[in-house]
Amino acid sequence: QVQLVESGGGLVQPGGSLRLSCAGPKYIFNIYTMRWYRQAPGKSRELVSVITSDGITNYADSVKGRFTISRVNAENTVYLQMNSLKPEDTAVYYCNAVAPWEQKLNYWGQGTQVTVSS
């Protein structure tokens, strides 16, 4: 089975930084589109950022200019660098992989908790 494994979450003060990572099978990172989502208690799941297999990126307005998504296919890893963190960024962050040719080929990480608090 396909398994995405996330790490890097934790407790950080407002204005601080965290880098999330997501690792998985080599074939996923060669050709799949990778996405980061987040979900806060009582809120709907929000798409945070997207990166295609050839490096095209997109960001939610709420994180644009503060977060950076990247991928290192040789390491089978996608990253989310989060700077200038705000309490509103507190959520469970999920990694997602989707095959460009078939949306049913859609896999998730287990989620990692990010808490921004003083």
Side-chain angles (χ1 to χ4, degrees), residues 82-105:
M82 305 185 295
N83 298 327
S84 302
L85 283 162
K86 305 174 181 179
E88 306 94 274
D89 297 317
T90 296
V92 178
Y93 284 70
Y94 297 93
C95 180
N96 170 254
V98 60
W101 66 93
E102 176 54 75
Q103 295 297 300
K104 292 182 180 179
L105 297 176

Side-chain angles (χ1 to χ4, degrees), residues 46-84:
E46 175 189 17
L47 177 62
V48 176
S49 189
V50 180
I51 185 167
T52 67
S53 61
D54 54 357
I56 299 172
T57 61
N58 201 5
Y59 300 90
D61 288 342
S62 59
V63 306
K64 191 174 184 178
R66 300 187 297 120
F67 290 12
T68 303
I69 190 171
S70 62
R71 64 196 297 162
V72 182
N73 291 346
E75 298 177 357
N76 305 339
T77 304
V78 63
Y79 299 97
L80 185 67
Q81 178 67 47
M82 305 185 295
N83 298 327
S84 302

Side-chain angles (χ1 to χ4, degrees), residues 14-50:
S17 298
L18 286 173
R19 187 174 72 161
L20 307 183
S21 63
C22 173
K26 180 179 294 185
Y27 76 90
I28 292 289
F29 290 91
N30 283 340
I31 58 178
Y32 277 51
T33 295
M34 305 299 298
R35 304 183 286 203
W36 286 97
Y37 289 84
R38 67 185 182 186
Q39 188 167 21
K43 301 286 188 177
S44 299
R45 188 180 65 184
E46 175 189 17
L47 177 62
V48 176
S49 189
V50 180

